[in-house]
Amino acid sequence: MTEKKAGIISASDEALLEAYIEEVPRVREMWEVIESGKQLTGNAPWRNTYSIVDPQEKKKSLQWGIAIGLILSLATAGWYLIHKSDSNIVFMHPINVSPAIALELADGSTRSLTDNTTAIYIGEQKLSLQPGTLSLESANNLPSGVNTLCIPNDNHYKVILSDGSEIWVNSASQIQFPFAFNDNTREITLCGEAYFKIATNARQPFMLHLPNSTIQVLGTSFNVNAYDRNNIRVSLTDGALRMIAGRQNVLLKPGQQAIYSENTRSLRIEPCEANEAAAWHRKQYYFSSVTLAGLKTVAFRRYGRHGVIDTFPATQRVFTESASGDKLPAGMLLPVPLHQDDSARLLQ
């Protein structure tokens, strides 16, 4: 916020901040106070250090000095919050907010993967592309190291790894992977959501790293939703897999999902419709007991368009399948009655 007020914020940080301002009432209130140039009051822990005010009241040098101090303090606090977990896995930089799907190579260079791109060059190696798909099965002599695929909102992309495993990566997500698996294990990292079809290789187990947890598989199909690191959901379609979080681990069977909460450090198993959990890559979405704010988040990822919910109570409005619990067609939702005249809503 201080960066935005001072006019030194980056485009990507500004986009993230605007999303928080729209979605979180407390953040919106704080920004309105900062934007108005008024001193923060109440119990705000940084109320006495806020000094970006009317230029007539403070010298610009003092404003910049305090602004920079605040930025450093907030960055330090953010570093602590990110690193205070027990996980040793280093996760990726913030989700790519550019309009293009991008492949960031281990050497730091980037290749664009739009639908109009028919091929990319990595060194002297040419990789032919199909619309929406990158295949590494026939690629040879590619550089070692870990590469990052960044998917922005309103997009998803398919990757076929060198071992034949297929991954559908959802919008606002990233995966890290090597061009070839040369070790005893096949290891990749996910931030966001993806659907996996893992090629069987008992001599080289597949390991998927998530925030504060790891999935071990031999050959199986499953969906992972890790947008919210406090509510990671792994839904198994077929085969078997083991999810490990700290000292806990569970073995999943088809039709089950593992749910991990970072706040409570709990890992539990629930029944699920695995095909529904993975239906997003067929452009279908299923909801049950979801808030209006939750629907807004999914719609933003799917269509890349922001919505504004006028009041905080409306964000907590809960939608469920039906009053009787019977399933309705995909997309048909009934709000929990607040008034007698509430009726069905159809989301398109």
Side-chain angles (χ1 to χ4, degrees), residues 5-37:
K5 182 68 176 178
I8 59 174
I9 192 171
S10 67
S12 59
D13 284 348
E14 186 171 27
L16 290 173
L17 176 58
E18 289 178 352
Y20 282 124
I21 290 172
E22 287 187 7
E23 296 173 4
V24 184
R26 179 172 174 79
V27 174
R28 183 164 55 251
E29 292 171 6
M30 291 181 66
W31 172 243
E32 289 172 354
V33 172
I34 290 175
E35 193 175 30
S36 68

mmCIF file of all heavy atoms in Angstrom, residues 5-37:
data_model
loop_
_atom_site.group_PDB
_atom_site.id
_atom_site.type_symbol
_atom_site.label_atom_id
_atom_site.label_comp_id
_atom_site.label_asym_id
_atom_site.label_seq_id
_atom_site.Cartn_x
_atom_site.Cartn_y
_atom_site.Cartn_z
ATOM 1 N N LYS A 5 0.920 4.212 -2.820
ATOM 2 C CA LYS A 5 0.719 5.608 -2.472
ATOM 3 C C LYS A 5 1.897 6.448 -2.938
ATOM 4 O O LYS A 5 1.728 7.579 -3.400
ATOM 5 C CB LYS A 5 0.533 5.733 -0.960
ATOM 6 C CG LYS A 5 0.265 7.156 -0.479
ATOM 7 C CD LYS A 5 -1.084 7.670 -0.944
ATOM 8 C CE LYS A 5 -1.363 9.053 -0.353
ATOM 9 N NZ LYS A 5 -2.655 9.589 -0.826
ATOM 10 N N ALA A 6 3.107 5.874 -2.825
ATOM 11 C CA ALA A 6 4.307 6.610 -3.222
ATOM 12 C C ALA A 6 4.537 6.585 -4.728
ATOM 13 O O ALA A 6 5.411 7.273 -5.233
ATOM 14 C CB ALA A 6 5.532 6.032 -2.509
ATOM 15 N N GLY A 7 3.758 5.745 -5.454
ATOM 16 C CA GLY A 7 3.887 5.679 -6.903
ATOM 17 C C GLY A 7 5.053 4.861 -7.389
ATOM 18 O O GLY A 7 5.525 5.044 -8.511
ATOM 19 N N ILE A 8 5.542 3.924 -6.564
ATOM 20 C CA ILE A 8 6.700 3.114 -6.958
ATOM 21 C C ILE A 8 6.357 1.636 -7.035
ATOM 22 O O ILE A 8 7.238 0.796 -7.105
ATOM 23 C CB ILE A 8 7.876 3.326 -5.974
ATOM 24 C CG1 ILE A 8 7.449 2.934 -4.546
ATOM 25 C CG2 ILE A 8 8.375 4.758 -6.016
ATOM 26 C CD1 ILE A 8 8.587 2.974 -3.542
ATOM 27 N N ILE A 9 5.069 1.291 -7.022
ATOM 28 C CA ILE A 9 4.655 -0.105 -7.032
ATOM 29 C C ILE A 9 4.803 -0.693 -8.427
ATOM 30 O O ILE A 9 4.606 0.002 -9.437
ATOM 31 C CB ILE A 9 3.196 -0.233 -6.532
ATOM 32 C CG1 ILE A 9 2.845 -1.693 -6.254
ATOM 33 C CG2 ILE A 9 2.234 0.392 -7.519
ATOM 34 C CD1 ILE A 9 1.509 -1.872 -5.558
ATOM 35 N N SER A 10 5.168 -1.986 -8.505
ATOM 36 C CA SER A 10 5.268 -2.662 -9.794
ATOM 37 C C SER A 10 3.874 -3.012 -10.301
ATOM 38 O O SER A 10 2.909 -3.062 -9.528
ATOM 39 C CB SER A 10 6.102 -3.943 -9.669
ATOM 40 O OG SER A 10 5.420 -4.902 -8.875
ATOM 41 N N ALA A 11 3.771 -3.272 -11.598
ATOM 42 C CA ALA A 11 2.459 -3.582 -12.195
ATOM 43 C C ALA A 11 1.874 -4.858 -11.604
ATOM 44 O O ALA A 11 0.673 -4.935 -11.331
ATOM 45 C CB ALA A 11 2.593 -3.699 -13.712
ATOM 46 N N SER A 12 2.722 -5.892 -11.402
ATOM 47 C CA SER A 12 2.217 -7.163 -10.877
ATOM 48 C C SER A 12 1.748 -7.006 -9.427
ATOM 49 O O SER A 12 0.699 -7.528 -9.050
ATOM 50 C CB SER A 12 3.288 -8.246 -10.975
ATOM 51 O OG SER A 12 4.452 -7.872 -10.251
ATOM 52 N N ASP A 13 2.530 -6.269 -8.610
ATOM 53 C CA ASP A 13 2.125 -6.060 -7.215
ATOM 54 C C ASP A 13 0.850 -5.229 -7.139
ATOM 55 O O ASP A 13 -0.008 -5.451 -6.279
ATOM 56 C CB ASP A 13 3.241 -5.368 -6.432
ATOM 57 C CG ASP A 13 4.379 -6.319 -6.094
ATOM 58 O OD1 ASP A 13 4.182 -7.535 -6.275
ATOM 59 O OD2 ASP A 13 5.437 -5.852 -5.663
ATOM 60 N N GLU A 14 0.704 -4.263 -8.037
ATOM 61 C CA GLU A 14 -0.489 -3.432 -8.032
ATOM 62 C C GLU A 14 -1.728 -4.256 -8.376
ATOM 63 O O GLU A 14 -2.793 -4.080 -7.782
ATOM 64 C CB GLU A 14 -0.340 -2.276 -9.012
ATOM 65 C CG GLU A 14 -1.503 -1.283 -8.945
ATOM 66 C CD GLU A 14 -1.236 -0.041 -9.763
ATOM 67 O OE1 GLU A 14 -0.459 -0.122 -10.740
ATOM 68 O OE2 GLU A 14 -1.816 1.009 -9.442
ATOM 69 N N ALA A 15 -1.583 -5.201 -9.327
ATOM 70 C CA ALA A 15 -2.716 -6.066 -9.689
ATOM 71 C C ALA A 15 -3.126 -6.935 -8.506
ATOM 72 O O ALA A 15 -4.322 -7.106 -8.227
ATOM 73 C CB ALA A 15 -2.349 -6.936 -10.891
ATOM 74 N N LEU A 16 -2.145 -7.485 -7.781
ATOM 75 C CA LEU A 16 -2.455 -8.302 -6.613
ATOM 76 C C LEU A 16 -3.105 -7.466 -5.519
ATOM 77 O O LEU A 16 -4.076 -7.893 -4.892
ATOM 78 C CB LEU A 16 -1.180 -8.964 -6.087
ATOM 79 C CG LEU A 16 -0.581 -10.063 -6.958
ATOM 80 C CD1 LEU A 16 0.767 -10.496 -6.410
ATOM 81 C CD2 LEU A 16 -1.511 -11.260 -7.028
ATOM 82 N N LEU A 17 -2.578 -6.263 -5.284
ATOM 83 C CA LEU A 17 -3.137 -5.399 -4.249
ATOM 84 C C LEU A 17 -4.576 -5.022 -4.572
ATOM 85 O O LEU A 17 -5.450 -5.036 -3.703
ATOM 86 C CB LEU A 17 -2.278 -4.140 -4.098
ATOM 87 C CG LEU A 17 -2.808 -3.081 -3.112
ATOM 88 C CD1 LEU A 17 -2.963 -3.669 -1.715
ATOM 89 C CD2 LEU A 17 -1.888 -1.871 -3.085
ATOM 90 N N GLU A 18 -4.847 -4.700 -5.833
ATOM 91 C CA GLU A 18 -6.211 -4.328 -6.218
ATOM 92 C C GLU A 18 -7.173 -5.494 -6.009
ATOM 93 O O GLU A 18 -8.331 -5.293 -5.618
ATOM 94 C CB GLU A 18 -6.229 -3.866 -7.668
ATOM 95 C CG GLU A 18 -5.566 -2.502 -7.871
ATOM 96 C CD GLU A 18 -5.543 -2.067 -9.324
ATOM 97 O OE1 GLU A 18 -5.905 -2.898 -10.188
ATOM 98 O OE2 GLU A 18 -5.167 -0.913 -9.599
ATOM 99 N N ALA A 19 -6.696 -6.709 -6.250
ATOM 100 C CA ALA A 19 -7.546 -7.883 -6.014
ATOM 101 C C ALA A 19 -7.862 -8.022 -4.531
ATOM 102 O O ALA A 19 -9.007 -8.289 -4.150
ATOM 103 C CB ALA A 19 -6.848 -9.144 -6.523
ATOM 104 N N TYR A 20 -6.858 -7.822 -3.667
ATOM 105 C CA TYR A 20 -7.102 -7.895 -2.221
ATOM 106 C C TYR A 20 -8.048 -6.789 -1.770
ATOM 107 O O TYR A 20 -8.918 -7.001 -0.930
ATOM 108 C CB TYR A 20 -5.778 -7.782 -1.460
ATOM 109 C CG TYR A 20 -4.972 -9.050 -1.435
ATOM 110 C CD1 TYR A 20 -3.667 -9.071 -1.898
ATOM 111 C CD2 TYR A 20 -5.508 -10.229 -0.947
ATOM 112 C CE1 TYR A 20 -2.918 -10.234 -1.882
ATOM 113 C CE2 TYR A 20 -4.765 -11.398 -0.935
ATOM 114 C CZ TYR A 20 -3.473 -11.396 -1.396
ATOM 115 O OH TYR A 20 -2.739 -12.547 -1.380
ATOM 116 N N ILE A 21 -7.876 -5.582 -2.315
ATOM 117 C CA ILE A 21 -8.738 -4.458 -1.938
ATOM 118 C C ILE A 21 -10.191 -4.773 -2.292
ATOM 119 O O ILE A 21 -11.116 -4.451 -1.543
ATOM 120 C CB ILE A 21 -8.261 -3.167 -2.628
ATOM 121 C CG1 ILE A 21 -6.918 -2.722 -2.026
ATOM 122 C CG2 ILE A 21 -9.296 -2.056 -2.491
ATOM 123 C CD1 ILE A 21 -6.262 -1.565 -2.771
ATOM 124 N N GLU A 22 -10.402 -5.412 -3.434
ATOM 125 C CA GLU A 22 -11.767 -5.754 -3.856
ATOM 126 C C GLU A 22 -12.365 -6.856 -2.996
ATOM 127 O O GLU A 22 -13.545 -6.825 -2.665
ATOM 128 C CB GLU A 22 -11.776 -6.192 -5.323
ATOM 129 C CG GLU A 22 -11.580 -5.057 -6.310
ATOM 130 C CD GLU A 22 -11.759 -5.524 -7.731
ATOM 131 O OE1 GLU A 22 -12.158 -6.685 -7.911
ATOM 132 O OE2 GLU A 22 -11.496 -4.743 -8.663
ATOM 133 N N GLU A 23 -11.557 -7.824 -2.596
ATOM 134 C CA GLU A 23 -12.083 -9.042 -1.987
ATOM 135 C C GLU A 23 -12.112 -9.015 -0.466
ATOM 136 O O GLU A 23 -12.928 -9.709 0.145
ATOM 137 C CB GLU A 23 -11.253 -10.248 -2.447
ATOM 138 C CG GLU A 23 -11.348 -10.507 -3.947
ATOM 139 C CD GLU A 23 -10.396 -11.599 -4.399
ATOM 140 O OE1 GLU A 23 -9.723 -12.190 -3.541
ATOM 141 O OE2 GLU A 23 -10.332 -11.855 -5.615
ATOM 142 N N VAL A 24 -11.257 -8.239 0.183
ATOM 143 C CA VAL A 24 -11.148 -8.269 1.641
ATOM 144 C C VAL A 24 -11.575 -6.919 2.213
ATOM 145 O O VAL A 24 -10.882 -5.913 2.024
ATOM 146 C CB VAL A 24 -9.702 -8.596 2.080
ATOM 147 C CG1 VAL A 24 -9.628 -8.717 3.603
ATOM 148 C CG2 VAL A 24 -9.228 -9.874 1.409
ATOM 149 N N PRO A 25 -12.708 -6.872 2.924
ATOM 150 C CA PRO A 25 -13.213 -5.594 3.436
ATOM 151 C C PRO A 25 -12.207 -4.848 4.305
ATOM 152 O O PRO A 25 -12.080 -3.633 4.197
ATOM 153 C CB PRO A 25 -14.453 -6.012 4.232
ATOM 154 C CG PRO A 25 -14.893 -7.297 3.617
ATOM 155 C CD PRO A 25 -13.632 -7.980 3.204
ATOM 156 N N ARG A 26 -11.487 -5.565 5.179
ATOM 157 C CA ARG A 26 -10.543 -4.891 6.068
ATOM 158 C C ARG A 26 -9.412 -4.233 5.272
ATOM 159 O O ARG A 26 -8.982 -3.119 5.595
ATOM 160 C CB ARG A 26 -9.965 -5.882 7.072
ATOM 161 C CG ARG A 26 -8.960 -5.254 8.028
ATOM 162 C CD ARG A 26 -8.575 -6.238 9.123
ATOM 163 N NE ARG A 26 -7.518 -5.725 9.972
ATOM 164 C CZ ARG A 26 -7.692 -4.853 10.941
ATOM 165 N NH1 ARG A 26 -8.913 -4.377 11.179
ATOM 166 N NH2 ARG A 26 -6.686 -4.444 11.687
ATOM 167 N N VAL A 27 -8.944 -4.906 4.228
ATOM 168 C CA VAL A 27 -7.911 -4.324 3.378
ATOM 169 C C VAL A 27 -8.447 -3.096 2.654
ATOM 170 O O VAL A 27 -7.769 -2.069 2.538
ATOM 171 C CB VAL A 27 -7.397 -5.372 2.362
ATOM 172 C CG1 VAL A 27 -6.421 -4.733 1.372
ATOM 173 C CG2 VAL A 27 -6.725 -6.528 3.093
ATOM 174 N N ARG A 28 -9.692 -3.197 2.176
ATOM 175 C CA ARG A 28 -10.298 -2.064 1.480
ATOM 176 C C ARG A 28 -10.410 -0.856 2.397
ATOM 177 O O ARG A 28 -10.134 0.286 1.997
ATOM 178 C CB ARG A 28 -11.675 -2.473 0.944
ATOM 179 C CG ARG A 28 -12.357 -1.383 0.133
ATOM 180 C CD ARG A 28 -13.497 -1.932 -0.693
ATOM 181 N NE ARG A 28 -14.475 -2.653 0.092
ATOM 182 C CZ ARG A 28 -14.655 -3.960 0.061
ATOM 183 N NH1 ARG A 28 -13.900 -4.714 -0.716
ATOM 184 N NH2 ARG A 28 -15.584 -4.553 0.809
ATOM 185 N N GLU A 29 -10.806 -1.095 3.659
ATOM 186 C CA GLU A 29 -10.925 0.003 4.620
ATOM 187 C C GLU A 29 -9.566 0.642 4.894
ATOM 188 O O GLU A 29 -9.452 1.872 4.969
ATOM 189 C CB GLU A 29 -11.533 -0.517 5.921
ATOM 190 C CG GLU A 29 -12.994 -0.938 5.781
ATOM 191 C CD GLU A 29 -13.505 -1.652 7.026
ATOM 192 O OE1 GLU A 29 -12.747 -1.704 8.023
ATOM 193 O OE2 GLU A 29 -14.656 -2.137 6.998
ATOM 194 N N MET A 30 -8.536 -0.177 5.043
ATOM 195 C CA MET A 30 -7.195 0.354 5.283
ATOM 196 C C MET A 30 -6.725 1.202 4.109
ATOM 197 O O MET A 30 -6.150 2.273 4.291
ATOM 198 C CB MET A 30 -6.217 -0.785 5.533
ATOM 199 C CG MET A 30 -6.426 -1.515 6.845
ATOM 200 S SD MET A 30 -5.209 -2.843 7.086
ATOM 201 C CE MET A 30 -3.708 -1.865 7.244
ATOM 202 N N TRP A 31 -6.995 0.719 2.889
ATOM 203 C CA TRP A 31 -6.553 1.465 1.714
ATOM 204 C C TRP A 31 -7.292 2.793 1.603
ATOM 205 O O TRP A 31 -6.701 3.812 1.218
ATOM 206 C CB TRP A 31 -6.744 0.639 0.451
ATOM 207 C CG TRP A 31 -6.489 1.453 -0.801
ATOM 208 C CD1 TRP A 31 -7.367 1.759 -1.788
ATOM 209 C CD2 TRP A 31 -5.255 2.084 -1.158
ATOM 210 N NE1 TRP A 31 -6.775 2.515 -2.743
ATOM 211 C CE2 TRP A 31 -5.470 2.745 -2.384
ATOM 212 C CE3 TRP A 31 -4.002 2.150 -0.556
ATOM 213 C CZ2 TRP A 31 -4.475 3.474 -3.021
ATOM 214 C CZ3 TRP A 31 -3.009 2.879 -1.200
ATOM 215 C CH2 TRP A 31 -3.246 3.523 -2.416
ATOM 216 N N GLU A 32 -8.585 2.807 1.916
ATOM 217 C CA GLU A 32 -9.340 4.060 1.859
ATOM 218 C C GLU A 32 -8.771 5.094 2.816
ATOM 219 O O GLU A 32 -8.702 6.284 2.513
ATOM 220 C CB GLU A 32 -10.819 3.790 2.167
ATOM 221 C CG GLU A 32 -11.532 3.040 1.042
ATOM 222 C CD GLU A 32 -12.943 2.614 1.423
ATOM 223 O OE1 GLU A 32 -13.310 2.801 2.602
ATOM 224 O OE2 GLU A 32 -13.666 2.103 0.544
ATOM 225 N N VAL A 33 -8.331 4.620 4.008
ATOM 226 C CA VAL A 33 -7.717 5.529 4.967
ATOM 227 C C VAL A 33 -6.388 6.058 4.443
ATOM 228 O O VAL A 33 -6.093 7.252 4.505
ATOM 229 C CB VAL A 33 -7.513 4.824 6.329
ATOM 230 C CG1 VAL A 33 -6.691 5.700 7.272
ATOM 231 C CG2 VAL A 33 -8.854 4.497 6.953
ATOM 232 N N ILE A 34 -5.579 5.148 3.894
ATOM 233 C CA ILE A 34 -4.279 5.553 3.364
ATOM 234 C C ILE A 34 -4.446 6.497 2.179
ATOM 235 O O ILE A 34 -3.757 7.511 2.065
ATOM 236 C CB ILE A 34 -3.471 4.313 2.955
ATOM 237 C CG1 ILE A 34 -3.046 3.527 4.207
ATOM 238 C CG2 ILE A 34 -2.242 4.691 2.133
ATOM 239 C CD1 ILE A 34 -2.347 2.225 3.912
ATOM 240 N N GLU A 35 -5.385 6.172 1.292
ATOM 241 C CA GLU A 35 -5.594 6.991 0.096
ATOM 242 C C GLU A 35 -6.076 8.387 0.448
ATOM 243 O O GLU A 35 -5.753 9.361 -0.224
ATOM 244 C CB GLU A 35 -6.593 6.298 -0.835
ATOM 245 C CG GLU A 35 -6.656 6.896 -2.228
ATOM 246 C CD GLU A 35 -7.563 6.100 -3.153
ATOM 247 O OE1 GLU A 35 -8.525 5.491 -2.645
ATOM 248 O OE2 GLU A 35 -7.299 6.084 -4.352
ATOM 249 N N SER A 36 -6.851 8.496 1.540
ATOM 250 C CA SER A 36 -7.377 9.804 1.947
ATOM 251 C C SER A 36 -6.304 10.677 2.594
ATOM 252 O O SER A 36 -6.484 11.874 2.766
ATOM 253 C CB SER A 36 -8.538 9.615 2.929
ATOM 254 O OG SER A 36 -8.074 9.093 4.161
ATOM 255 N N GLY A 37 -5.159 10.066 2.989
ATOM 256 C CA GLY A 37 -4.084 10.829 3.605
ATOM 257 C C GLY A 37 -4.283 11.073 5.079
ATOM 258 O O GLY A 37 -3.608 11.903 5.685
#
